[in-house]
Amino acid sequence: MSRSRSPRLVPLLLALAAPAAWSAPSVLLFPTLGRPDSVTLQGRVLSETPHGSTALSRNLRRLATTNVEGARVELSFQGMSAQVTSGHDGNFQVTLAAPSDKPFPAGSHEVLARVSEATAQSRVEIIPDAAPFLVVSDFDDTLAISEVTQPGKLVSNALLRDADTQPVVTGMAGFYGCLGPEAAPAPAFALVSGSPVQFAPRVSAFLSRHGFPPGFGLYLRDMGPGTLSHYKQPLIRALLQRFPHPVVLVGDSGEKDPEVYAQIRDEFPGRVRAIYIRDAGHSENAARFQGMMLFKDPGLAAGHAASQGVARSACVSERFPTPTPPQAPAQARDVP
């Protein structure tokens, strides 16, 4: 792009991101995981409902819409209600404890939030103690092709695409759908990602569109100067402290997932059942993947998971019926 055109782009982007005068406030209510004894509900109050005729205008407005401080939020879940006030960043959070004689039933349940005339619905997945494990997953370049290692393409994927047009990593929905031991309850899924919290509806729609298992809890990044790094560890620690189950960690090699997951494995000895890393580049140094399964083909990861008892063999055979040809060690390896 020539320099003469660059000044024109800034007003255009600002115009696309500018709130419309007629827009009403909106509420983001994040899908979450809970236990039979309690659940923590979280969300954000925005000054308008992000809208637009193109993916670019919608994504810019998602990121540019201002937060509302001091809004009164009413929440309803399983016959219980609570009121909370949004903070300076528009965020709100409240924990509901189930009656001692009536725990929350396992499974997926609706939660409702209301701010004045604006309402939002989301899902809470109550995880039973009998769940075999918790899958903690990355999103960008693990499930969705975001090309994080190439800044230009990353910006294009983030701003010019949406849930309908962002490419999926072929085979990952099948891999996730097969996770879980034979004849046992399904595992729980938590998505811990650097995608901004404003993209929660887009991420949820992407997962549904591409057939990933239902019930993902979303734990996304609250964008700010202090969240450029080390934002995943606190979220994953909180999940492991909240849920006593073993965990399976899935990410990619493009950024710091191997290092983050190795740190979590060291901090919670005996809790990490397996680590799967999709090869998205920067995988030359084998030391990054000690004790992890590095793969390019999700079918190989699924087959390995079945051999380790964390995926159902019949499901893997059904979803990945074509034998995977031999590949070079750098493409799929279980690093000791």
Side-chain angles (χ1 to χ4, degrees), residues 28 31 55-56 58-60 62-63 139-140 144-146 153-167 191 195-210 218 220:
L28 285 180
L56 175 60
R58 290 190 296 272
N59 287 324
L60 286 173
R62 286 185 180 116
L63 296 173
F139 180 71
D140 295 299
I145 296 176
S146 304
K153 291 184 177 180
L154 170 63
V155 172
S156 177
N157 282 313
L159 295 182
L160 300 181
R161 297 186 183 273
D162 55 22
D164 295 329
T165 58
Q166 185 168 12
L191 193 148
S195 293
V197 295
Q198 294 91 336
F199 279 13
R202 170 177 163 175
V203 171
S204 290
F206 177 93
L207 296 173
S208 177
R209 174 179 176 81
H210 292 289
L218 298 189
L220 308 184

Side-chain angles (χ1 to χ4, degrees), residues 199-323:
F199 279 13
R202 170 177 163 175
V203 171
S204 290
F206 177 93
L207 296 173
S208 177
R209 174 179 176 81
H210 292 289
F212 286 91
F216 270 80
L218 298 189
Y219 304 89
L220 308 184
R221 178 164 48 160
D222 196 351
M223 300 295 288
T227 66
L228 296 178
S229 61
H230 303 292
Y231 57 88
K232 282 190 176 181
Q233 292 94 322
L235 293 171
I236 298 174
R237 288 189 194 105
L239 285 167
L240 268 66
Q241 291 163 357
R242 178 78 178 96
F243 299 95
H245 309 77
V247 292
V248 172
L249 306 174
V250 188
D252 68 85
S253 62
E255 291 193 295
K256 297 295 184 181
D257 285 345
E259 289 77 14
V260 170
Y261 292 168
Q263 181 179 347
I264 294 298
R265 181 178 56 193
D266 291 343
E267 291 182 13
F268 294 86
R271 291 287 303 281
V272 177
R273 184 84 178 268
I275 300 176
Y276 293 93
I277 301 294
R278 175 179 175 261
D279 189 344
H282 298 172
S283 57
E284 300 81 8
N285 181 8
R288 298 182 66 205
F289 312 107
Q290 291 297 316
M292 306 176 190
M293 172 67 179
L294 178 68
F295 68 92
K296 282 190 175 179
D297 181 353
L300 289 176
H304 179 275
S307 73
Q308 300 300 306
V310 296
R312 301 180 301 282
S313 297
C315 177
V316 173
S317 298
E318 178 182 354
R319 299 203 182 196
F320 301 94
T322 304

Side-chain angles (χ1 to χ4, degrees), residues 108-189:
S108 183
H109 307 282
E110 182 181 277
V111 57
L112 175 69
R114 179 185 298 276
V115 177
S116 186
E117 299 302 315
T119 61
Q121 294 179 342
S122 190
R123 307 299 297 182
V124 173
E125 192 74 16
I126 299 298
I127 309 306
D129 292 340
F133 50 81
L134 172 65
V135 179
V136 176
S137 173
D138 179 50
F139 180 71
D140 295 299
D141 289 326
T142 298
L143 308 185
I145 296 176
S146 304
E147 299 175 289
V148 172
T149 61
Q150 303 180 61
K153 291 184 177 180
L154 170 63
V155 172
S156 177
N157 282 313
L159 295 182
L160 300 181
R161 297 186 183 273
D162 55 22
D164 295 329
T165 58
Q166 185 168 12
V168 67
V169 177
T170 303
M172 289 301 288
F175 173 31
Y176 279 39
C178 290
L179 288 173
E182 309 287 349
F189 292 88

